Amino acid sequence: MTPAVMEVRNVERHFLIDGGLFRAKRVLHAVNGVSLAVRKGEILALVGESGCGKSTLSRMMLGLLPPTNGEVQFEGVPIGDLDRIAMARRVQPVFQDPYSSLNPRKTVGAIIGLPLKVHHVCTAQERRARILETMDRVGLARRFHDVYPNQLSGGQRQRVAIARALVIRPELVICDEPTSALDVSVQSQILNLLQDLQRELGLTLVLISHNLAVVQHMATRVAVMYLGRIVEQGDTASLFRCPQHPYTQALLASILTPEPGLGVPETNLGAAFSNPLNPPSGCTFHPRCPRAMPVCSETAPRSQFHNRGTVACHLYHAADL
Amino acid sequence: MSTVLEVQGLVVRIPLTFGDLSPVRNVGFSVSTGETLCIVGESGCGKSLTSLAIMDLLPSRARRTANRISFDGVDLTAIRERDMADIRGNRMAMIFQEPMTSLNPAYTIGNQLEEAMLRHRKVARSAARERAVYLLEKVGITAAGQRLKQYPHQLSGGLRQRVMIAMGLMCGPKLLIADEPTTALDVTIQAEILHLLASLKREFDMAMILITHDLGVVARVADRVAVMYAGQVVETGTAKDVFSRPLHPYTQGLLRCVPIPGRTKPGEHLGSIPGLVPNLIGEMKGCSFRNRCLHASVECGAIDVTLQQIGPEISYRCILPVAVAAAYGLEATKA
């Protein structure tokens, strides 16, 4: 098995939420005991509904947010021990909205070159060459070097954000919904680009997305999150072929492909998305689960390994998998 | 099936210092009772402004002209603002994209639900409340009576969108316009809301216009589809026609851009449409898609391309796929 670039070990992150005047603060368990390994050269997708903790997890993986409990390791070293600059050199983000993630008062060249400057990678002349080379790589015309972001389209801006992430040649790039702010025709260009870059540069990518069709197209491995926990993990092909967890099954069933005549699928999930401030007992998914059993409301299922991944559900016993 | 809304030659112009911006150019379509028309296109194609123009809710600077906007026998181009206000929210209702911003945070759900009914019908508040509870239950909200006292911030996104839908239905409209009703929602909730809209449409015998950029949603819920590009309708047809035999190069391109599990091979390149949407300021000549089109020729820039009608439902705005029309065994005629 290829070595893990990053390992997330039993990580928890809590936030204190103000209950209002004279009321006690309440604890929100945004991420609740997540373990995950990102292996070299793979595209790992994190999927789940809004509020399931995928962005909080990604911020912990970037070292922007310390975990409350547990540990994130980068190549065997806990990232708490690495300083911020060293960490940023090896893990870079691409954010969702290219309209707010680029400084409007800097030129494209300055935006892409900033990481080189911060990390003192090269001289000023070399820097220009590296910037232009990276622009070529992500399909940005060189004439955009001295242009400001407001003169660019959404797709071009996202290319700038990708170039900025790649210019110091990081080992891991974390893309948080990289295409969901873009139009369909532009989305496909960015996805093609990410795929080419991953292949040609041997990049490791973490792709956070709620678009399952995109995930199936891009990812080599998928982790499904629900209310702060990973409920299922596995390689993309087998997870899409035979999803184990009822939540994964419902998610996959709700993909709307552009095929007429099939109608809108039934998901059979109760309407109630549980309040993360007051999560249900036992398995947090049980109030919505079409196959819930009495045990589900009592004890939380543990993640069980099987030959294709892991699943956390009482329906399955290690022996059956 | 009777035609509820018919639009012909709808134009929206916004005067700017350096010329007129024309985000909607000569748009026409019709919807009948019990039918769902999906208007699909990318951002900036004019789909939202089209719906706002029908509702007469355009920003004050925008100018609307149309050959015909006839709703339920009433000519909307000729009526007074006061009469339009009587139709809006009554016989014609709209659901907006962002349930977070389109509900008033300072009023309770109940208050906002009852408002339209009290405005349009001579009913007592208690009757309006009864109707509100009935509709909240219809849209799948439990404990509806207590919800009326809640404020929008106390509800989740999915619930707020259900409240918006209930609000649109308060006066039993003949036409419901839903502008990106599921875009801000999670996939599992999206499926539920779409189900709900379809069943309510049947139950209340409405016509529905669904505006979206999501081809998956269109394919699954539309009876008929109008594809918009750069302010124009470039293709119309039944959902089956448009998705299985797209005629316009733009529609063909769009369909190649989306990954389809089971059909597109993972890891393979997706199709894309290179280039950018043209500037919509000033006079436009020729096909507006020609700078991104794979098949464009000199002719495309020289003549104004009209909508070619083949069959009662199918039309497209392109001079090229005459061959495609031949494949249908139909003769292409100028609209």
Side-chain angles (χ1 to χ4, degrees), chain A residues 180-200:
Chain A
S180 55
L182 304 174
D183 271 323
V184 180
S185 64
V186 182
Q187 168 181 309
S188 65
Q189 295 169 23
I190 297 295
L191 294 178
N192 288 344
L193 171 66
L194 284 174
Q195 218 155 34
D196 288 347
L197 291 170
Q198 191 267 337
R199 260 182 231 141
E200 288 160 24

Side-chain angles (χ1 to χ4, degrees), chain B residues 4-5 31 35 37 48 50-57 71-72 76 84-97 102 112-113 115-117 120-121 131 135 161-181 197 200-201 204-211:
Chain B
V4 175
L5 179 77
V31 224
E35 191 180 48
L37 170 75
S48 288
T50 300
S51 66
L52 291 177
I54 296 165
M55 296 285 280
D56 199 12
L57 288 174
F71 170 69
D72 200 16
L76 297 188
M84 188 62 213
D86 284 340
I87 292 177
R88 214 184 281 134
N90 182 8
R91 285 191 286 156
M92 188 196 276
M94 189 159 177
I95 302 167
F96 296 94
Q97 172 173 2
S102 45
Q112 297 183 59
L113 278 164
E115 189 186 3
M117 191 142 184
H120 292 295
R121 299 283 146 84
R131 171 91 178 155
L135 283 173
Q161 196 57 288
R162 285 167 203 265
V163 170
M164 283 300 291
I165 294 172
M167 199 179 290
L169 297 177
M170 277 302 280
C171 293
K174 291 206 130 181
L175 173 68
L176 186 68
I177 303 177
D179 188 358
E180 306 264 12
L197 282 172
L200 291 171
K201 184 197 74 178
F204 291 89
D205 208 20
M206 297 183 289
M208 188 155 79
I209 299 179
L210 191 89
I211 294 165

Side-chain angles (χ1 to χ4, degrees), chain B residues 313-329:
Chain B
E313 302 284 1
I314 308 159
S315 65
Y316 59 90
R317 195 182 290 274
C318 182
I319 51 172
L320 291 164
V322 185
V324 186
Y328 276 94

Side-chain angles (χ1 to χ4, degrees), chain A residues 49-50 183-185 188-189 192 195-196 199 213 216-217 251 256-260 263-267 269 288, chain B residues 42-43 186 188 190-192 194-195 216 219-221 243 257-259 261 263 265 267-273 292:
Chain A
E49 290 172 287
S50 47
D183 271 323
V184 180
S185 64
S188 65
Q189 295 169 23
N192 288 344
Q195 218 155 34
D196 288 347
R199 260 182 231 141
Q216 202 232 6
H217 187 75
L251 268 188
L256 300 181
T257 52
E259 296 167 289
V264 181
E266 272 311 334
T267 54
L269 295 182
R288 301 176 77 190
Chain B
E42 296 182 282
S43 50
D186 284 313
T188 53
Q190 163 171 291
E192 282 162 26
L194 291 175
H195 261 295
R220 301 305 186 89
V221 304
F243 283 91
C257 286
V258 285
R263 259 206 244 163
K265 227 166 129 212
E268 222 167 55
H269 264 200
L270 296 168
S272 61
I273 305 176
R292 304 175 76 183

Side-chain angles (χ1 to χ4, degrees), chain A:
Chain A
M1 198 180 278
T2 30
V5 177
M6 181 173 273
E7 210 165 333
V8 176
R9 287 194 179 164
N10 225 351
V11 156
E12 289 180 20
R13 174 72 210 192
H14 307 163
F15 293 102
L16 283 177
I17 304 291
D18 226 337
L21 197 63
F22 303 126
R23 275 197 223 155
K25 292 198 171 174
R26 290 194 286 172
V27 183
L28 175 81
H29 298 256
V31 172
N32 212 344
V34 164
S35 296
L36 194 68
V38 187
R39 295 183 204 128
K40 193 150 187 54
E42 75 173 350
I43 302 183
L44 172 69
L46 276 178
V47 300
E49 290 172 287
S50 47
C52 74
K54 49 192 199 301
S55 288
T56 305
L57 180 61
S58 79
R59 291 182 63 197
M60 288 193 283
M61 292 167 89
L62 281 164
L64 297 175
L65 199 68
T68 315
N69 283 314
E71 189 174 72
V72 181
Q73 290 188 346
F74 188 82
E75 290 182 338
V77 186
I79 62 171
D81 298 353
L82 287 167
D83 73 294
R84 278 289 294 282
I85 300 241
M87 183 70 195
R89 180 127 195 217
R90 306 162 93 176
V91 186
Q92 279 284 316
V94 174
F95 294 108
Q96 172 171 8
D97 183 4
Y99 290 85
S100 58
S101 67
L102 304 178
N103 186 340
R105 303 179 69 167
K106 299 273 187 210
T107 62
V108 165
I111 290 170
I112 299 175
L114 188 63
L116 295 174
K117 225 167 160 177
V118 169
H119 297 286
H120 307 292
V121 178
C122 49
T123 64
Q125 278 99 34
E126 285 166 0
R127 189 153 72 223
R128 192 180 158 82
R130 279 274 285 270
I131 294 168
L132 291 174
E133 184 197 311
T134 315
M135 286 176 72
D136 291 345
R137 169 111 267 166
V138 301
L140 271 175
R142 290 184 171 210
R143 68 190 147 89
F144 290 132
H145 185 274
D146 299 317
V147 149
Y148 289 89
N150 68 350
Q151 290 161 277
L152 302 180
S153 70
Q156 287 164 343
R157 283 171 198 237
Q158 202 55 299
R159 284 175 199 267
V160 173
I162 293 170
R164 173 178 59 185
L166 292 181
V167 74
I168 47 164
R169 298 178 191 144
E171 284 150 74
L172 177 64
V173 178
I174 296 181
C175 307
D176 192 349
E177 304 269 10
T179 59
S180 55
L182 304 174
D183 271 323
V184 180
S185 64
V186 182
Q187 168 181 309
S188 65
Q189 295 169 23
I190 297 295
L191 294 178
N192 288 344
L193 171 66
L194 284 174
Q195 218 155 34
D196 288 347
L197 291 170
Q198 191 267 337
R199 260 182 231 141
E200 288 160 24
L201 308 177
L203 274 181
T204 311
L205 286 180
V206 173
L207 179 74
I208 296 170
S209 181
H210 67 274
N211 186 333
L212 288 150
V214 166
V215 165
Q216 202 232 6
H217 187 75
M218 298 281 293
T220 44
R221 223 150 51 82
V222 184
V224 183
M225 285 186 78
Y226 187 78
L227 276 184
R229 289 199 168 89
I230 290 184
V231 294
E232 184 164 0
Q233 234 186 104
D235 70 274
T236 311
S238 50
L239 189 122
F240 273 77
R241 200 178 336 106
C242 50
Q244 307 275 323
H245 199 281
Y247 179 62
T248 316
Q249 291 168 355
L251 268 188
L252 296 190
S254 57
I255 306 180
L256 300 181
T257 52
E259 296 167 289
L262 294 181
V264 181
E266 272 311 334
T267 54
N268 292 323
L269 295 182
F273 183 73
S274 305
N275 182 357
L277 271 173
N278 183 18
S281 60
C283 171
T284 47
F285 184 58
H286 85 261
R288 301 176 77 190
C289 184
R291 298 173 70 186
M293 303 174 288
V295 62
C296 298
S297 55
E298 287 154 20
T299 45
R302 302 200 10 191
S303 241
Q304 298 176 61
F305 289 88
H306 55 80
N307 51 7
R308 284 158 274 119
T310 67
V311 60
C313 180
H314 286 301
L315 285 172
Y316 305 101
H317 296 289
D320 309 339
L321 290 164

Side-chain angles (χ1 to χ4, degrees), chain B residues 230-244:
Chain B
Q232 289 177 317
V233 173
V234 294
E235 180 162 357
T236 64
T238 63
K240 196 158 166 279
D241 287 326
V242 171
F243 283 91
S244 53

Side-chain angles (χ1 to χ4, degrees), chain B residues 54-253:
Chain B
I54 296 165
M55 296 285 280
D56 199 12
L57 288 174
L58 287 169
S60 56
R61 284 198 304 165
R63 305 267 169 276
R64 177 187 85 175
T65 55
N67 297 341
R68 185 183 164 87
I69 306 177
S70 125
F71 170 69
D72 200 16
V74 183
D75 182 5
L76 297 188
T77 55
I79 65 171
R80 289 175 306 170
E81 170 54 31
R82 247 174 55 206
D83 299 328
M84 188 62 213
D86 284 340
I87 292 177
R88 214 184 281 134
N90 182 8
R91 285 191 286 156
M92 188 196 276
M94 189 159 177
I95 302 167
F96 296 94
Q97 172 173 2
E98 288 275 338
M100 322 288 166
T101 53
S102 45
L103 288 168
N104 190 333
Y107 289 91
T108 60
I109 301 299
N111 219 313
Q112 297 183 59
L113 278 164
E114 288 154 22
E115 189 186 3
M117 191 142 184
L118 295 174
R119 159 73 177 77
H120 292 295
R121 299 283 146 84
K122 285 197 175 62
V123 293
R125 188 166 279 272
S126 59
R129 186 162 308 146
E130 228 169 81
R131 171 91 178 155
V133 171
Y134 167 75
L135 283 173
L136 284 182
E137 277 165 2
K138 267 269 166 289
V139 298
I141 293 181
T142 50
Q146 285 132 49
R147 297 278 185 195
L148 291 181
K149 296 193 198 78
Q150 287 188 318
Y151 288 88
H153 75 267
Q154 293 169 300
L155 306 177
S156 68
L159 281 183
R160 278 181 232 184
Q161 196 57 288
R162 285 167 203 265
V163 170
M164 283 300 291
I165 294 172
M167 199 179 290
L169 297 177
M170 277 302 280
C171 293
K174 291 206 130 181
L175 173 68
L176 186 68
I177 303 177
D179 188 358
E180 306 264 12
T182 58
T183 306
L185 304 176
D186 284 313
V187 278
T188 53
I189 319 258
Q190 163 171 291
E192 282 162 26
I193 296 284
L194 291 175
H195 261 295
L196 179 66
L197 282 172
S199 68
L200 291 171
K201 184 197 74 178
R202 269 193 304 276
E203 193 174 333
F204 291 89
D205 208 20
M206 297 183 289
M208 188 155 79
I209 299 179
L210 191 89
I211 294 165
T212 179
H213 70 278
D214 189 329
L215 293 164
V217 171
V218 177
R220 301 305 186 89
V221 304
D223 295 315
R224 284 192 304 126
V225 182
V227 183
M228 282 187 75
Y229 181 77
Q232 289 177 317
V233 173
V234 294
E235 180 162 357
T236 64
T238 63
K240 196 158 166 279
D241 287 326
V242 171
F243 283 91
S244 53
R245 272 182 292 200
L247 295 173
H248 196 279
Y250 176 63
T251 322
Q252 294 168 357

